[in-house]
Each structure stands twice: as C-alpha cells, then as structure tokens.
Amino acid sequence: SGFCLNRISPMEVQHKPFLPSLGEYLFHSFGELSLSTYNSLIKLHSSQYLQQTASSTTHLHSAAKGTPVPPPQGVFGNYAADEGYISTKVPPKDPDELVFHSVAVCRRKLGGTPRETRIEQQDWRNDGMDCGEDSYFLHAKMLGVADGVGGWARKGVDPSLFSNQLMKNALEEVDKKGNSDPQDVIRKAHHRLVKQKQVDKGSSTAIVAALQGDKQSCKLNVANVGDSRLALFRGGKCVFLTPEQQHRWNAPFQLAVGSRGYSDSADQAELHDASVQPRDIVIMGSDGVFDNIFPHEMEQVLESHVPSGKRTRFAATNRTSWMPSWMRRNTRISLVDTSTQLFQTVWDYSLHPTRVSPFNVGQQKQTGHVRKGGKGDDVTVLVAQVMTAQELYELKQKWPSYPKADVFDL
C-alpha cells in the first residue's frame, strides 16, 4: 500500500501550463528589480494571469454543467514556521534538522456554502481562502489535512465546523505544546474538541505527517484516519503513497462527535513511515485531490518544477541562465508555481465530463458500477519541500516578507 500504483491512467487529458514562469515574465517586462518591487509585481501578474485563464476554465466547465468556474482564492505560505520555530534573527540551533517549506491552496466545491456564512471558523488560518468543508494546518515540522463529512449538511450541521476546529486544535498541540507524534496530535486534538464541547455535532477525516530527524537520517511519520492521502516524491517520481482507510466504498473512517453513524478514534489510525531526504517533495490533500488525479499525473506536474540538486527549476533550464542569481535560487517561487498548477490540474480534472478518474477506477473495482467524469469536491492541496533548518533560515533572510506576505490575490 505504500507504493505508488495506478501509474497508467485510462485516459490522458492534456493541459497547458497554468502559470508561466513568473521570474521570466517579470524579467522580460521590467528588467532587474528590487525584492519588494518583485514581490508586488508577482502578485499583480498572478491576479491578471488568472483572470485571463479563467475563461478557458469556464469553457471546460460550461461543457459539463454550464456554470462558470471562479479562480482559486489564494495561495498561502508556511505561516506557522515563523519566529516561533525558525527565526529570521537567530540562526537555528540545529542547522541540519529537516523541516518543511510549504504552500497550501484550497477552494470549496461548486455550489458549496460560501465562506461568508462560516467566516469565524475559517479565520483562524489567516489565509483568506475558502476551503469549503476541508481544513488544514502548516508547520515547519508537521502538516495536516481534515475533510469534514458532507452528509452532516443534510441534517442542518455545517461540516466545516468540525474539520476546522480539529485542525486548529492540532496546530496548537504542535506549535504550543511541542507534540511531535502525528497519532497523538490527532488523538489530543479530537479529545479536546469533544471534552470542551467545541463542536456539538460533526465528523471529519484527518491525516497528519511529521518529520523526525536530521539530513543524515530522517523519517516521515504519518497517521491517517480516512481517505485524505499523502504522496512522497523524489527526483520528480512518486516513491511512497498512503492508502485510503474505508469501512466500505466511499465511507471513510472518521473522527466524530454526536454521531449515530461511523465514529472512529485516533487509535484506529493507520500509521506509516518513509525515509526522506532534503529536496523531497510531499503532497498532502483531501480526497478531492487524490480522487481526481493519479500519481503519475502528479509527476507530470512536478516535472518542470522540482529542483535538481541544490538548484531550482529556474537554474535547471538553459533559457533562464541569463537571470540574476537571486532569482534562479528562489525555491519559494517554484513551490508557489507548482502548488498552483497542481491545484488547477486537479480542479480541471474534477469538472471533466468524461474523464476516468481514480475515484471511478476504485468504484468500479469495489462495486462494479461504471462511472465517468471527474468528482466534484472541495480541493485542498499542500505542497511541501523538505529542506534543512539552515536553508529555511537563509530563505527567509532573502525574502524579508516571508511568510506574512505570502497571500496572493488570485
């Protein structure tokens, strides 16, 4: 179950790159710039380019359901890995410790309840995004995703209440209490939610991953309850993939409160571990991601974005050799570019009327039912690069606005 299967999709769908090289675009247009000006122009270009490409996305969905597709509402950086863990003022105590440099992109499904009706429980992330019934947290040592069970909406319960409170509790368990055990983080986050009666009714899946060790020997420990998943990529190839955990088809294991249906516990979480190295890429997402894209298709997205050795995508191409060195070394732009394109690819696939998706393949295998077309759902994807604490410290030195100015107005 830990291997990346389904490498050959029953159907290939060609996509143009969602976001062109921001560095090339800005350099061609404006020449060499200060970092502050460069940051501002990136935001402007991101907004303008997404407005231009919204028409093609709308056209794709119009063929399926006739409803326009708004662009994603934001890209946000690793806001938890700030002064509390990797300081911009003091070098790290252990420069060889491996940490995450991560970006999250999410969007609620079409027809989902707008963010404005549940702003309180989403505001804790401080990211300006609407993840629908999904939620997540980012930290220099841990990542987490929760997917609220949508069936509660039929009973008048907002499924996002549970998922957001669970992830908020999990981040506090990691950030304030220093808990480094993924299963225990899920356990205590859920226990607090129930004991303190933070939510009356609801349930969600949960997956949490943690880095343990330094660059000489490091493990990625994963605890999973349900059908959110994690994939590990090395050199652009998928080397590890967590399986789904389901009671039956499309009925995932789930943490719950006030439920008469499935109510599982963190003790039932599936535990996994994999060796990791600097420059590995971790992709974590809700089922809205992994139900719509195969691992080998993720590899295609990563192909032009994964750093080679200590170089980034910019430095690895001949056509960017003329760029200033600071631009070629910028790993953060590579992550933003990668996460945005991955999100858009998944979103397009989810709306495709005839595509055979991983969800379709699994459904046919387990139930015999043949279904075509993408699976519309909330989409939450985290893309994280593994690097040393020293590298993250130096990255933050080069980008003084990191991480608080990482909201892109898409």
Side-chain angles (χ1 to χ4, degrees):
S1 62
F3 295 97
C4 298
L5 305 176
N6 296 329
R7 296 180 60 84
I8 301 177
S9 168
M11 178 178 181
E12 295 286 356
V13 180
Q14 298 297 323
H15 284 263
K16 296 180 180 180
F18 173 62
L19 199 62
S21 167
L22 298 179
E24 291 178 81
Y25 174 90
L26 295 174
F27 194 86
H28 274 306
S29 303
F30 303 99
E32 191 162 353
L33 307 168
S34 68
L35 292 182
S36 60
T37 305
Y38 184 70
N39 272 332
S40 300
L41 287 172
I42 285 176
K43 293 182 182 181
L44 175 63
H45 171 59
S46 299
S47 177
Q48 291 177 340
Y49 185 80
L50 282 163
Q51 291 174 9
Q52 294 168 4
T53 56
S55 60
S56 62
T57 309
T58 302
H59 175 73
L60 173 63
H61 183 59
S62 296
K65 298 183 180 179
T67 305
V69 181
Q73 296 180 347
V75 176
F76 197 74
N78 193 350
Y79 63 93
D82 55 10
E83 297 298 320
Y85 199 88
I86 305 295
S87 172
T88 58
K89 301 176 182 178
V90 181
K93 294 180 180 179
D94 182 1
D96 289 338
E97 179 185 18
L98 292 189
V99 296
F100 288 123
H101 171 47
S102 50
V103 171
V105 189
C106 69
R107 193 190 184 285
R108 64 179 168 86
K109 62 187 175 185
L110 294 177
T113 305
R115 170 188 169 89
E116 290 74 16
T117 65
R118 50 172 181 247
I119 193 168
E120 291 183 3
Q121 64 265 31
Q122 292 213 29
D123 266 4
W124 71 272
R125 295 194 311 264
N126 193 30
D127 60 8
M129 294 192 292
D130 185 354
C131 297
E133 296 163 2
D134 292 351
S135 192
Y136 71 90
F137 76 85
L138 303 176
H139 188 271
K141 296 295 290 185
M142 279 194 176
L143 308 171
V145 167
D147 181 359
V149 175
W152 285 101
R154 295 191 293 271
K155 301 179 180 180
V157 177
D158 182 352
S160 71
L161 286 169
F162 189 100
S163 58
N164 273 281
Q165 191 62 56
L166 186 70
M167 289 292 96
K168 182 180 180 181
N169 290 352
L171 178 58
E172 291 178 358
E173 186 69 25
V174 176
D175 200 35
K176 295 181 179 179
K177 299 182 181 180
N179 196 334
S180 60
D181 182 340
Q183 184 180 28
D184 195 48
V185 167
I186 295 175
R187 180 186 297 112
K188 290 182 177 177
H190 183 216
H191 177 74
R192 180 182 172 191
L193 182 152
V194 175
K195 185 177 181 180
Q196 297 183 9
K197 299 181 180 180
Q198 295 173 326
V199 178
D200 293 330
K201 294 181 180 180
S203 58
S204 82
T205 65
I207 183 169
V208 174
L211 287 173
Q212 304 279 356
D214 59 25
K215 66 180 182 181
Q216 302 302 323
S217 177
C218 188
K219 289 283 187 180
L220 180 68
N221 296 329
V222 185
N224 180 48
V225 179
D227 56 4
S228 294
R229 305 180 75 179
L230 176 148
L232 176 66
F233 296 82
R234 182 168 301 140
K237 299 298 181 182
C238 182
V239 296
F240 177 77
L241 177 67
T242 61
E244 296 175 315
Q245 187 188 35
Q246 300 198 52
H247 291 284
R248 56 180 173 79
W249 172 245
N250 209 28
F253 278 56
Q254 53 201 260
L255 306 169
V257 63
S259 174
R260 295 182 180 179
Y262 295 117
S263 182
D264 305 297
S265 73
D267 293 333
Q268 295 171 275
E270 289 189 345
L271 307 180
H272 310 276
D273 65 80
S275 297
V276 293
Q277 302 172 7
R279 306 299 171 187
D280 283 356
I281 298 291
V282 173
I283 295 177
M284 179 185 285
S286 59
D287 64 335
V289 176
F290 287 90
D291 280 347
N292 283 299
I293 189 169
F294 291 92
H296 83 277
E297 294 169 324
M298 289 184 173
E299 293 176 355
Q300 294 170 3
V301 174
L302 290 174
E303 185 177 1
S304 62
H305 300 280
V306 173
S308 175
K310 291 187 177 181
R311 301 174 300 169
T312 67
R313 164 191 172 217
F314 290 159
T317 58
N318 292 331
R319 61 196 178 95
T320 58
S321 59
W322 43 264
M323 284 185 176
S325 59
W326 61 266
M327 187 182 292
R328 295 199 305 270
R329 288 195 303 266
N330 186 348
T331 58
R332 187 179 163 275
I333 292 299
S334 177
L335 273 187
V336 170
D337 199 4
T338 300
S339 60
T340 307
Q341 183 174 340
L342 179 61
F343 168 88
Q344 189 63 38
T345 301
V346 171
W347 189 260
D348 288 354
Y349 283 172
S350 74
L351 301 174
H352 200 285
T354 59
R355 171 178 163 79
V356 178
S357 67
F359 183 82
N360 304 147
V361 173
Q363 184 176 23
Q364 183 174 358
K365 182 178 180 180
Q366 295 191 36
T367 69
H369 178 71
V370 178
R371 175 187 182 276
K372 288 188 177 181
K375 179 187 174 229
D377 203 347
D378 300 322
V379 173
T380 298
V381 58
L382 315 186
V383 180
Q385 184 180 44
V386 178
M387 60 176 58
T388 66
Q390 181 65 28
E391 288 174 320
L392 182 56
Y393 167 73
E394 293 176 357
L395 177 62
K396 293 171 71 174
Q397 292 292 310
K398 295 172 185 174
W399 291 88
S401 61
Y402 177 93
K404 297 178 181 177
D406 283 353
V407 180
F408 280 64
D409 298 323
L410 302 186

